[in-house]
Amino acid sequence: MFVPSQGGNEIAWWENDGSQNFTKLSVDSGFNKAQSVYATDMDGDGDIDILGASEGDNEIAWWENDGNQNFTRQSVDSSFKQAQSVYAIDLDGDGDVDIVGASQGDNEIAWWENDGGQNFTKYSVDSSFKKALSVYAIDMDGDGDIDILGASEGDDEIAWWENDGSQNFTKHTIASDFQKAQSVYAIDLEPDGDVDIVAAAKQDNEIAWWENDGSQQFSKHSVDTGFSGAQSVYSTDVNGDGDLDILGASPGRNEIALWENSGGGTTAIELVSFAARPATAPSILGGLALEWQWSVIVGLCVLSSVALCAQLRRSRVR
């Protein structure tokens, strides 16, 4: 499990011994104001590497794994102002892993093309997406290429950029009144064969999802409008019942929450809240000592600025 020290300077991972006992191993303690982390095999050598976004260093970087979990930092871009979010995927379909990022200071969504040798060339997708905080990439329209989504705090906007297949992107606004949008994720939530969107808005204190009608026309459904300072969102089948639930993080409520989908659609998502604790105190989830950080990353609850994350399992939810 890989975690950024949000507001601190560290990228770290915790080794699971197979019994959910975790040992922390630092990857980089000089990554200033680390905001985001993602893990994938960047160089195709069969082991998992790490990517990160640093607000303080204005940097997107990746750490190469030598196969023995010794990591070497490789800078992708050191002038991506107040970098907030990073994700990796084969954006151009050439068989290697590219990078997408969000920059608060540059008001930018961008991607970096991998030439196959982990040399990266930057391409701007949108340089007027005010205070871009979150980015994600997926095939939104089912045409076989990878599109990009973003959340803009400054524009109160959730948007996606349609890829024409040659990495020329056209912006489509999904919502322009989602006050202080913080986080966006996409998945077939219903499921009906198309990609829906989930997002978090800080000022609206809201977790919401947008239903795709199959033609990329989106209808909003509010999940919770009292989730104070909503900062992060993710969707996965947490309780193993075959449908997709929603996870969110709220610093205002000192809370990581789960909205459980009972299979009945938009009205059947109910809140199952984990016990809120003061931000200065450790919390316990599934017998693991956790401290708070307001992110939910790749199916994990991430709860610490120098912290541990625990994968939610069915036994822990019930």
Side-chain angles (χ1 to χ4, degrees):
M1 292 171 288
F2 303 90
V3 184
S5 172
Q6 197 173 61
N9 303 312
E10 188 171 16
I11 300 289
W13 74 284
W14 281 257
E15 183 177 5
N16 186 345
D17 67 0
S19 299
Q20 290 68 61
N21 300 304
F22 293 87
T23 301
K24 178 187 172 183
L25 299 165
S26 183
V27 174
D28 194 324
S29 59
F31 199 54
N32 189 21
K33 293 187 179 179
Q35 294 295 310
S36 176
V37 68
Y38 186 72
T40 191
D41 184 359
M42 286 296 300
D43 50 7
D45 63 355
D47 52 45
I48 299 298
D49 308 299
I50 303 170
L51 293 100
S54 161
E55 178 180 322
D57 291 333
N58 305 313
E59 187 173 7
I60 300 293
W62 72 286
W63 289 261
E64 182 178 1
N65 186 348
D66 68 357
N68 294 306
Q69 292 68 63
N70 300 305
F71 293 92
T72 302
R73 179 172 167 179
Q74 311 285 349
S75 184
V76 175
D77 194 322
S78 59
S79 59
F80 198 53
K81 190 174 179 182
Q82 294 179 309
Q84 296 292 311
S85 181
V86 67
Y87 186 69
I89 195 169
D90 185 3
L91 192 67
D92 52 6
D94 63 354
D96 53 44
V97 180
D98 308 300
I99 298 168
V100 291
S103 161
Q104 181 179 19
D106 287 333
N107 305 312
E108 187 173 15
I109 299 292
W111 75 285
W112 289 262
E113 182 181 5
N114 186 348
D115 69 357
Q118 292 69 63
N119 302 301
F120 293 92
T121 302
K122 179 185 174 184
Y123 297 93
S124 184
V125 175
D126 193 323
S127 58
S128 59
F129 198 55
K130 190 175 179 182
K131 292 186 178 180
L133 292 187
S134 180
V135 69
Y136 188 65
I138 192 172
D139 184 1
M140 285 295 299
D141 49 7
D143 63 354
D145 52 46
I146 301 298
D147 308 299
I148 298 173
L149 295 99
S152 159
E153 181 179 66
D155 290 330
D156 305 319
E157 188 173 5
I158 301 296
W160 72 285
W161 290 264
E162 182 179 359
N163 186 349
D164 68 357
S166 298
Q167 293 69 63
N168 302 303
F169 292 93
T170 301
K171 181 180 176 181
H172 302 277
T173 295
I174 296 160
S176 58
D177 58 353
F178 200 52
Q179 300 296 309
K180 292 195 175 181
Q182 300 288 298
S183 177
V184 66
Y185 183 70
I187 196 168
D188 187 2
L189 190 63
E190 298 170 274
D192 59 357
D194 51 46
V195 178
D196 308 300
I197 296 166
V198 291
K202 182 178 181 179
Q203 187 168 308
D204 282 341
N205 304 312
E206 187 173 11
I207 300 292
W209 73 283
W210 284 261
E211 180 180 359
N212 186 347
D213 69 357
S215 300
Q216 293 69 63
Q217 303 297 317
F218 293 91
S219 300
K220 180 183 175 183
H221 304 276
S222 185
V223 175
D224 195 323
T225 58
F227 198 55
S228 180
Q231 187 166 315
S232 185
V233 70
Y234 184 75
S235 179
T236 190
D237 183 4
V238 173
N239 57 2
D241 64 355
D243 51 43
L244 294 171
D245 309 298
I246 295 174
L247 289 156
S250 162
R253 289 169 54 148
N254 291 330
E255 188 173 16
I256 298 292
L258 160 71
W259 291 268
E260 185 176 1
N261 185 348
S262 59
T266 61
T267 61
I269 297 176
E270 60 181 327
L271 176 65
V272 181
S273 177
F274 300 109
R277 304 294 176 92
T280 56
S283 176
I284 302 297
L285 176 60
L288 298 175
L290 305 173
E291 296 174 346
W292 294 111
Q293 172 180 306
W294 306 115
S295 301
V296 178
I297 301 175
V298 291
L300 307 175
C301 275
V302 183
L303 301 147
S304 173
S305 58
V306 189
L308 181 66
C309 53
Q311 185 172 3
L312 292 172
R313 296 189 172 194
R314 186 174 184 179
S315 61
R316 292 178 182 164
V317 174
R318 291 189 171 180

